[in-house]
Amino acid sequence: MRKIFFTFLILATNVLQVDYSYAAEIQVITSGAFAEALKQLVPEYEKQSPNKVIISYGSSMGAAPDSIPSRLAKGEQFDILILAAPSLEGFIKSGDLQSGARVDLVASVMGAVVKTGAPKPDISTMNGLKLVLLNAKSVAYSASASGVYLSTELFPKMGISEQMNKTARKIYSERVASVVARGDADLGFQQVSELLPIPGVDFIGELPQEAQKTVLFSAGITSNTQNLDASKDLIVFLASTKAVDTIQKAGLKPVLPAIPW
């Protein structure tokens, strides 16, 4: 009987060792729009998986030292990139990401904040938004996808580029809402999901539909990943119905795509 017990104990120990050996450490870098949702979702994923997720942060584009393009150029290694879909496509074309493995996770819209306690201007119409922009003494916007849209498309469309060149500035390597919270700008624009988590500001609403720019944020697997199966497993979780509530609370719209593998 003792011999059977010890044989069972050895077998059980071997099974535990095999399970542990398959646990992976998944390195993920995300741009700001999906950052808060990812922070909330990772503990839920780790409850159901032996894998551990290590999160890094960087902007989708730009030459700031901590942007995703800059960090990849420096040779930093990641398994998964989560960023604006147009930028992600660029990394697929360059060979940094595997082709055929893009998964759209969320749709993100833009909004605005003022410092907590400041009057909340009405930006619900194009005329209202234009007046608010022209009357603001200082405006902050992201140096990433949302800011590029504002400065190169929306401001010219509204005929206010010249004025915005005087009062608006791009914010690098920091959340726009943080700049507004400490009083360095009267008004701040960025993806809604990047504005909501920051204390010290009041959210005043999304841009009106005529001015809105909806951006898909997508996940891709790097070409040099050593954790392919684990990376796929995490992406499947992030794109599933299990993640919907957390994604919506973060100010994003889940896509629930078909998985390409």
Side-chain angles (χ1 to χ4, degrees):
M1 189 69 181
R2 290 181 64 188
K3 184 177 180 180
I4 294 173
F5 172 76
F6 282 116
T7 300
F8 175 79
L9 185 61
I10 291 169
L11 289 172
T13 302
N14 288 338
V15 169
L16 288 173
Q17 288 175 341
V18 170
D19 284 346
Y20 180 80
S21 70
Y22 279 95
E25 192 172 87
I26 310 168
Q27 297 283 343
V28 182
I29 187 165
T30 180
S31 60
F34 198 68
E36 187 64 24
L38 186 62
K39 281 193 290 186
Q40 300 299 322
L41 287 167
V42 161
E44 295 302 313
Y45 171 75
E46 291 179 340
K47 287 179 184 177
Q48 66 166 45
S49 169
N51 301 326
K52 183 169 180 60
V53 181
I54 309 300
I55 309 175
S56 299
Y57 305 97
S59 57
S60 292
M61 58 184 68
D66 59 349
S67 71
I68 293 176
S70 294
R71 295 181 71 168
L72 290 178
K74 289 185 291 187
E76 291 192 50
Q77 301 292 312
F78 302 99
D79 298 299
I80 297 172
L81 308 186
I82 302 175
L83 66 162
S87 297
L88 186 135
E89 279 297 318
F91 287 122
I92 292 174
K93 290 178 181 177
S94 69
D96 291 296
L97 292 178
Q98 298 180 15
S99 61
R102 167 181 163 178
V103 177
D104 297 331
L105 298 177
V106 297
S108 176
V109 297
M110 296 174 58
V113 292
V114 293
K115 188 173 182 176
T116 297
K120 294 182 180 180
D122 182 5
I123 62 168
S124 61
T125 65
M126 285 293 282
N127 284 338
L129 175 62
K130 183 174 182 177
L131 286 174
V132 169
L133 284 166
L134 290 175
N135 290 330
K137 293 180 179 178
S138 55
V139 177
Y141 61 91
S142 169
S144 195
S146 60
V148 170
Y149 163 70
L150 286 175
S151 60
T152 64
E153 295 185 47
L154 184 59
F155 293 164
K157 176 183 174 181
M158 299 176 76
I160 59 173
S161 292
E162 185 176 349
Q163 177 66 20
M164 290 299 98
N165 287 337
K166 299 174 183 177
T167 58
R169 63 187 177 101
K170 291 181 181 180
I171 304 301
Y172 295 87
S173 303
E174 186 179 15
R175 294 288 181 88
V176 168
S178 297
V179 175
V180 176
R182 64 171 180 263
D184 290 344
D186 296 332
L187 190 64
F189 292 86
Q190 201 164 17
Q191 307 298 137
V192 171
S193 60
E194 297 185 69
L195 298 171
L196 294 181
I198 306 301
V201 295
D202 288 335
F203 181 65
I204 61 174
E206 298 177 1
L207 298 189
Q209 191 58 45
E210 304 94 318
Q212 189 60 260
K213 176 79 168 180
T214 300
V215 179
L216 286 175
F217 282 80
S218 310
I221 300 173
T222 57
S223 298
N224 59 0
T225 179
Q226 301 299 307
N227 298 301
L228 180 59
D229 289 341
S231 297
K232 287 181 175 180
D233 186 59
L234 174 58
I235 291 173
V236 167
F237 173 81
L238 297 176
S240 74
T241 55
K242 296 176 182 178
V244 165
D245 286 346
T246 300
I247 285 171
Q248 290 176 333
K249 288 176 183 176
L252 297 162
K253 305 177 191 304
V255 174
L256 298 176
I259 301 300
W261 52 79

